Amino acid sequence: MTNSVGVTPSKVQDPSGCDETREQATPREFAIDYQLIFPALFEQAPGAMLVADPEGRILFLNAQIEELFGYARNELFGQPLEMLMPARFRGKHSAQRASYAVKPTFRPMGRGLDLYGLRKDGTEFPVEISLSPLTVESKTVFTCAIRDISERKRIEGLLQSQLSFERMMSRLSGAFMNVPTSEVDSRINEALKTIAEASGFDRTCLSKLNPSGRLSVECSWVGPGAQGVTFEDARDVCPWLVERVLTDGIVCVSAPGELPVEAGKDKEYMIGTGEKSVLGIALAVGGKLLGLLSFATFREAKEWSAVVVSRMKQVADVFSNVLERKQANEELQEAYSRIEELNKRLEQENSYLRQEIQLEHEHSDVVGQSAAIRDVLKQAEQVAMTDTVVLIQGETGTGKELLARTIHNLSNRRSRPMVKINCAALPATLIESELFGREKGAYTGALTSGVGRFELADKSTIFLDEVGELPMELQPKLLRVIQEGEFERLGSSKTHRVDARIIAATNRDLSAAVTEGRFREDLYYRLSVFPISLPPLRERTKDIEELVWHILQDLGKRMGRNIKGIQSSTMKAFQNYSWPGNIRELRNVIERNLILNSGPIFRAKLPDAVSSRAGHMHASSSSMQEVEREHILRVLRTTAWRIRGHHGSSDASGTEADYAGIADEETQHSEKADASNISCKSLKCRTFGVAERSAALLQRPFK
């Protein structure tokens, strides 16, 4: 039986051993069919194929070769294979082809090799080639299958790029772990350089958003040929781009021409600096803007693909976290510093308060009912609730510090202790450190930093006793504190601000000191905004009895004495005495007589020196200068006019007096020397700490 295609049945042995007749085609009967089928298979193969002779000339090719290389079929027939490869491969290929023709075998090519094809238009593309020998009628030809692997290479490149990026991100994240705050900026600069070089950027810049709203450049990296960062705030050169980034989060510009009309300043900057492309990304954590990260190219324009933008967004997230941690650490360090400073200040205050507690504050309130003291207390009440500078003037011992405490206790600052300093008790080299504080190493021996009295008095009151003794070189600094509330510690340029109410006191005539050039006029006017004059005790004779009882009660408690009365003669003597030392002298006299006299009735006798002085000052109109003059002459007579040496006037006076310049030897040993001949030339004295006054006294002739 013959089928429709002319197949002759033949008997085929079944594998099971049973004979079975079935239809089978023989090659001989299909020889003509093979000549039609195989060319069709070659032509319609899914890959590009060609056939070449041993000399490398192209004999056959299919349509895929035409499509892949861009040549027409008749353009390639008889042409060498080297026509389809870049020139750099041709010489090497000829040698390899000759070697392959000697021992032809199936050979895949391209794995691990960088093989490229060359299109008619001159473009290159990666290829993978398989060679296979074919023998026909004792002649050998070679079939060549060519595959375009551009897409595979692209995907492999993306995967490799992604892997490299992930490795870089891993290193980048690890670079900021456990990094001290002081090293963060240097690490950011290194990271910016790494990212720019790996991604092909020419400049990277990280700006931090300050509390004031300005974008200050924190870190940057600039490659060869790129414009350096010359701006402090990116808004100064690219305001439109910055606002868009801060608003939208990300802005990409591939060329200046893409910018809108309203971005004229930004476009002008890009063109002027040669900036081709820019990518800006906002730095934020939890919705809080921290700054801006920008990438720019100058050598060539860059298309900002979604992959590149996504990667740079990951980089920005890392820097956002770094900035947030840095800011948190800085705030924490600032808080620690503040706590440490407050602890030091608290220790200083505690130490100061302990010293104050040890001091003997004679009165909790001002004692007295005289019109003079009531007028003073009225002024204190009027000024207490203000922050006005107060200048308390009065003689030594009149209670200037007590009045200052009264003003402070009546003010809104009474919840904090009043801080005081005696400007005359410290040398000029230390007064500045005590007033304004010092830094470690500010001067020899300054082993630690110290808080000044003004810092201790912040939100409180500072009492400047004996302000007239303040050195001239420090007066401008005090004036600045009064006017601006600002000062710098000794050895530091950092400005400190304080809110301290200032009360000053002096027993000197500051207006006279201004005239003499020993006190700044502008400081005097700033201090004397509200002057209060304390009357001396001799002008408060009505208050003496009340003051005596108050002091007796205070000292009696301390000494365990119960005083029930005061001898009338004692009180009369107290009221008649002028008390040049004022309340301080009164207290000292009472304390001394309490020790000397026992019993419930207090009685006291003024010492002879005091009594004679009191009688002298009440009985005559002699001035203090005349009293001192008389004392100098009395000492000289007592020592037989001997000035130095054993039994000299220095020993007799109990001071370091230096009486020198007696006119001649006879005058030195004569007690009858005419006092009118004694002048400053014959008697030069430094006694009682008032050398100038004594010298002036001796210049005057006796009347």
Side-chain angles (χ1 to χ4, degrees):
M1 184 179 87
T2 304
N3 58 19
S4 59
V5 294
V7 178
T8 303
S10 61
K11 191 174 285 188
V12 179
Q13 181 68 34
D14 185 74
S16 63
C18 300
D19 293 336
E20 179 182 356
T21 302
R22 69 179 180 184
E23 297 177 351
Q24 182 176 354
T26 64
R28 181 183 58 79
E29 294 171 328
F30 271 81
I32 189 172
D33 294 334
Y34 281 116
Q35 294 177 2
L36 297 175
I37 291 174
F38 285 104
L41 288 175
F42 181 80
E43 183 67 27
Q44 298 176 20
M49 298 184 66
L50 58 80
V51 178
D53 61 16
E55 287 74 27
R57 292 188 295 270
I58 299 174
L59 303 177
F60 304 101
L61 57 94
N62 63 2
Q64 282 72 19
I65 289 289
E66 295 180 287
E67 181 179 354
L68 184 61
F69 288 93
Y71 287 100
R73 190 170 304 212
N74 57 1
E75 292 179 299
L76 294 177
F77 280 138
Q79 298 298 326
L81 285 172
E82 287 78 6
M83 183 178 180
L84 301 179
M85 62 184 65
R88 63 182 180 276
F89 295 110
R90 292 172 183 172
K92 190 175 182 180
H93 178 265
S94 299
Q96 290 177 343
R97 174 169 47 78
S99 175
Y100 179 76
V102 174
K103 189 178 179 180
T105 58
F106 174 76
R107 181 186 296 178
M109 301 174 63
R111 290 288 182 180
L113 301 174
D114 288 329
L115 300 180
Y116 287 86
L118 180 66
R119 295 189 176 94
K120 183 179 180 180
D121 61 6
T123 59
E124 297 182 10
F125 61 97
V127 296
E128 196 173 76
I129 302 172
S130 296
L131 295 177
S132 180
L134 180 63
T135 302
V136 179
E137 296 179 354
S138 71
K139 292 183 179 180
T140 301
V141 293
F142 305 97
T143 61
C144 180
I146 304 173
R147 289 177 293 278
D148 182 359
I149 59 173
S150 298
E151 183 63 18
R152 190 175 77 190
K153 285 286 188 180
R154 186 186 69 82
I155 294 174
E156 289 177 352
L158 289 176
L159 292 175
Q160 184 62 37
S161 175
Q162 182 65 25
L163 181 60
S164 299
F165 176 75
E166 290 176 358
R167 288 174 179 169
M168 182 184 70
M169 290 298 295
S170 177
R171 292 193 300 270
L172 182 63
S173 299
F176 293 100
M177 294 181 63
N178 302 322
V179 177
T181 305
S182 59
E183 298 180 11
V184 169
D185 286 349
S186 62
R187 294 289 182 91
I188 292 178
N189 281 326
E190 293 174 3
L192 290 177
K193 178 182 179 182
T194 300
I195 294 166
E197 291 177 343
S199 305
F201 304 138
D202 298 317
R203 187 180 75 189
T204 59
C205 182
L206 187 148
S207 300
K208 180 181 176 182
L209 187 64
N210 295 329
S212 61
R214 288 186 62 82
L215 280 168
S216 60
V217 177
E218 291 286 302
C219 305
S220 63
W221 178 84
V222 180
Q227 173 71 33
V229 179
T230 57
F231 50 84
E232 295 182 359
D233 187 340
R235 288 193 184 91
D236 298 337
V237 293
C238 296
W240 183 86
L241 282 171
V242 171
E243 293 304 322
R244 284 290 305 275
V245 171
L246 297 180
T247 303
D248 301 339
I250 298 177
V251 172
C252 308
V253 178
S254 298
E258 295 181 359
L259 293 171
V261 177
E262 55 268 25
K265 188 172 183 179
D266 307 62
K267 184 176 182 180
E268 180 182 351
Y269 173 78
M270 290 186 68
I271 295 174
T273 59
E275 189 174 355
K276 300 290 193 303
S277 307
V278 63
L279 168 64
I281 303 176
L283 301 177
V285 173
K288 178 184 177 182
L289 281 173
L290 300 175
L292 185 149
L293 182 64
S294 65
F295 306 95
T297 62
F298 287 80
R299 291 171 294 178
E300 59 183 9
K302 189 175 186 68
E303 292 293 333
W304 302 106
S305 65
V307 173
V308 173
V309 173
S310 175
R311 290 177 179 176
M312 294 306 104
K313 181 65 173 66
Q314 295 179 51
V315 171
D317 291 340
V318 171
F319 285 138
S320 297
N321 292 325
V322 170
L323 281 183
E324 196 273 336
R325 289 199 302 270
K326 178 187 176 185
Q327 183 175 339
N329 287 337
E330 288 176 344
E331 292 175 354
L332 186 61
Q333 290 296 329
E334 185 178 354
Y336 282 150
S337 299
R338 181 62 177 165
I339 290 172
E340 184 179 357
E341 183 177 348
L342 290 175
N343 284 337
K344 289 182 179 179
R345 177 174 173 177
L346 185 59
E347 291 175 2
Q348 293 275 353
E349 288 183 354
N350 289 339
S351 175
Y352 178 77
L353 287 174
R354 285 194 296 269
Q355 295 173 8
E356 286 294 291
I357 290 172
Q358 293 172 0
L359 296 177
E360 297 181 356
H361 301 305
E362 291 85 354
H363 310 287
S364 58
D365 296 303
V366 178
V367 176
Q369 297 297 325
S370 64
I373 202 64
R374 285 201 304 269
D375 183 59
V376 168
L377 291 175
K378 182 180 179 180
Q379 294 180 66
E381 292 175 358
Q382 290 172 333
V383 77
M385 297 304 292
T386 69
D387 289 335
T388 303
V389 179
V390 178
L391 177 62
I392 303 174
Q393 298 172 304
E395 297 179 5
T396 299
T398 53
K400 296 186 287 296
E401 181 182 344
L402 183 60
L403 181 61
R405 290 187 180 279
T406 300
I407 295 173
H408 172 71
N409 292 334
L410 292 173
S411 71
N412 293 327
R413 302 171 182 261
R414 56 183 173 271
S415 60
R416 295 181 62 89
M418 184 182 80
V419 178
K420 72 171 186 177
I421 185 170
N422 191 321
C423 299
L426 293 171
T429 54
L430 295 181
I431 187 67
E432 181 177 6
S433 173
E434 284 295 315
L435 280 174
F436 306 110
R438 68 177 184 277
E439 293 295 338
K440 181 178 179 181
Y443 52 83
T444 303
L447 302 179
T448 60
S449 60
V451 177
R453 298 298 175 91
F454 269 103
E455 287 183 75
L456 287 175
D458 191 26
K459 310 298 181 185
S460 184
T461 303
I462 185 169
F463 176 57
L464 304 177
D465 198 7
E466 303 296 346
V467 71
E469 307 300 328
L470 192 68
M472 283 291 290
E473 59 268 20
L474 288 184
Q475 292 180 21
K477 202 166 185 177
L478 176 60
L479 179 64
R480 182 186 174 202
V481 177
I482 298 174
Q483 291 179 334
E484 309 295 339
E486 296 179 348
F487 66 93
E488 288 81 32
R489 286 183 180 180
L490 187 64
S492 172
S493 59
K494 179 182 178 181
T495 300
H496 293 264
R497 293 193 60 85
V498 292
D499 176 20
R501 200 273 181 78
I502 297 175
I503 300 177
T506 182
N507 60 2
R508 293 177 56 182
D509 185 354
L510 291 186
S511 60
V514 170
T515 303
E516 296 169 2
R518 291 183 288 110
F519 202 83
R520 290 178 63 98
E521 184 177 14
D522 49 1
L523 179 58
Y524 170 69
Y525 288 126
R526 291 296 299 179
L527 288 174
S528 60
V529 175
F530 195 90
I532 299 178
S533 296
L534 269 175
L537 188 54
R538 62 179 173 271
E539 296 179 8
R540 300 171 54 194
T541 54
K542 293 182 180 180
D543 294 331
I544 290 179
E545 183 175 356
E546 187 177 355
L547 284 168
V548 170
W549 274 111
H550 183 86
I551 297 172
L552 282 173
Q553 291 174 0
D554 182 39
L555 294 176
K557 290 179 181 178
R558 300 188 183 192
M559 297 182 180
R561 299 279 301 277
N562 184 15
I563 304 300
K564 297 181 179 179
I566 303 174
Q567 195 176 49
S568 59
S569 60
T570 297
M571 183 61 68
K572 184 176 181 181
F574 279 6
Q575 290 175 336
N576 290 333
Y577 180 50
S578 63
W579 300 108
N582 294 292
I583 299 173
R584 184 180 294 115
E585 183 182 6
L586 174 63
R587 182 183 178 86
N588 292 340
V589 170
I590 293 174
E591 184 173 4
R592 180 167 60 252
N593 283 277
L594 273 177
I595 296 172
L596 295 175
N597 301 310
S598 60
I601 303 300
F602 175 73
R603 61 184 182 276
K605 180 181 179 183
L606 297 177
D608 293 340
V610 176
S611 300
S612 62
R613 179 167 43 158
H616 175 74
M617 295 186 72
H618 280 278
S620 68
S621 60
S622 299
S623 66
M624 181 63 71
Q625 292 178 335
E626 292 172 339
V627 173
E628 291 177 355
R629 181 189 186 93
E630 180 64 29
H631 174 76
I632 293 171
L633 292 174
R634 185 168 60 252
V635 171
L636 286 172
R637 294 189 186 100
T638 303
T639 59
W641 295 88
R642 180 181 293 276
I643 298 173
R644 298 183 182 88
H646 188 57
H647 299 307
S649 58
S650 299
D651 293 340
S653 64
T655 67
E656 296 181 356
D658 181 13
Y659 297 80
I662 302 300
D664 52 55
E665 191 68 24
E666 294 180 358
T667 305
Q668 294 180 24
H669 299 284
S670 175
E671 296 184 4
K672 299 180 180 181
D674 187 356
S676 62
N677 292 329
I678 301 175
S679 65
C680 186
K681 293 182 179 179
S682 61
L683 293 176
K684 296 179 182 178
C685 51
R686 297 192 305 274
T687 183
F688 312 118
V690 287
E692 296 83 2
R693 175 183 287 181
S694 300
L697 284 170
L698 294 175
Q699 281 183 331
R700 298 180 180 179
F702 286 116
K703 296 180 180 179

